[in-house]
Amino acid sequence: MLLAIDVGNTQIKLAVFEQNTLINKKIIPYSDWKKEVENTLIFFSEIKNIAIASVGKLQKSDFLGLKEGMEVSFISHESKFPFQNQYTTPNTLGIDRMVLTSGAVLQFPNKNRLVIDAGTCITYDFVDENNVYHGGAISPGIRLRYASLNNFTANLPLLAIDQPKNSIGNSTEQSIHSGVINGITFEIDGFISSILNKNDNFIIILTGGDAEFLAERLKNTIFANSNFLLESLNQTFQYNQQ
């Protein structure tokens, strides 16, 4: 049994796996991470391994000594991945993006794959049917866009995420919702269309905390799975154990 830990920019996700079956999942704040991990290890006493992917503040040393005899695997640039990396600055490629690409290759063999992770940032990662990773794009996520409008203007309010009633907002609040939500969906659909025009035999994977919210608004056919990074982390761990 494996405990997979995704350390993100704003929160931490825990998932317990038995082989490829997701047994339990929780999302926790940074302030409670150690207590929550320890409680999970107590409740699921069969856990023998921890696999961690971190783009946040926690490192491997933070997880050592949580349980006697526990194996801690910290996925890094030195880990094995099932793809050829053609990124020109490979050491700056986020581990989360590498794990997502790994999962796409392992779950969907012999296809062109575009992985879109809609979290704090929206990342796009393209790996072709020959398992060659080409790169992608990074843009602000939903909450960053709302926050930036508030932080960098004098009078625009900070709003919670909401569906715009129309494309043409008839108030400042509706204009903000339209600009943020429609702007992101147009961006994602446009990015997908530009890739599809050049490639066939394709699968588009949408994941991240905002995946379900965005999936309903996108025109293109996608495979939406908010747990894809955790599943990919589990599979990357298994790949490194082989």
Side-chain angles (χ1 to χ4, degrees), residues 68-186:
E68 186 176 353
M70 183 69 61
E71 285 286 331
V72 178
S73 298
F74 199 81
I75 304 301
S76 69
H77 292 93
E78 285 69 47
S79 302
K80 293 188 297 183
F81 294 92
F83 57 88
Q84 177 187 344
N85 192 348
Q86 288 195 342
Y87 213 53
T88 58
T89 56
N91 290 329
T92 69
L93 181 59
I95 291 299
D96 54 341
R97 298 174 67 188
M98 297 183 72
V99 169
L100 287 168
T101 301
S102 178
V105 169
L106 294 171
Q107 286 197 40
F108 303 101
N110 307 313
K111 285 184 175 292
N112 292 304
R113 310 94 163 171
L114 177 65
V115 186
I116 304 169
D117 185 7
T120 303
C121 294
I122 301 174
T123 59
Y124 303 81
D125 293 287
F126 173 58
V127 57
D128 68 25
E129 60 191 352
N130 297 313
N131 300 335
V132 177
Y133 175 81
H134 295 269
I138 305 172
S139 71
I142 294 179
R143 289 162 188 80
L144 276 180
R145 299 188 193 208
Y146 277 113
S148 66
L149 289 174
N150 174 248
N151 290 335
F152 294 103
T153 65
N155 298 310
L156 293 182
L158 177 61
L159 303 180
I161 297 174
D162 195 12
Q163 296 275 14
K165 294 182 172 60
N166 296 290
S167 295
I168 304 300
N170 60 3
S171 68
T172 296
E173 289 195 359
Q174 282 301 311
S175 295
I176 291 173
H177 289 312
S178 178
V180 171
I181 304 303
N182 287 323
I184 285 178
T185 55
F186 295 158

Side-chain angles (χ1 to χ4, degrees), residues 5-13 27-37 53-59 62-63 120:
I5 303 178
D6 166 28
V7 181
N9 290 299
T10 57
Q11 60 189 10
I12 299 170
K13 296 179 182 178
I27 301 173
I28 60 175
Y30 267 86
S31 58
D32 295 334
W33 78 266
K34 192 169 185 178
K35 179 181 177 181
E36 291 287 349
V37 170
S54 176
V55 296
K57 302 173 184 177
L58 300 180
Q59 299 301 314
D62 295 305
F63 295 89
T120 303

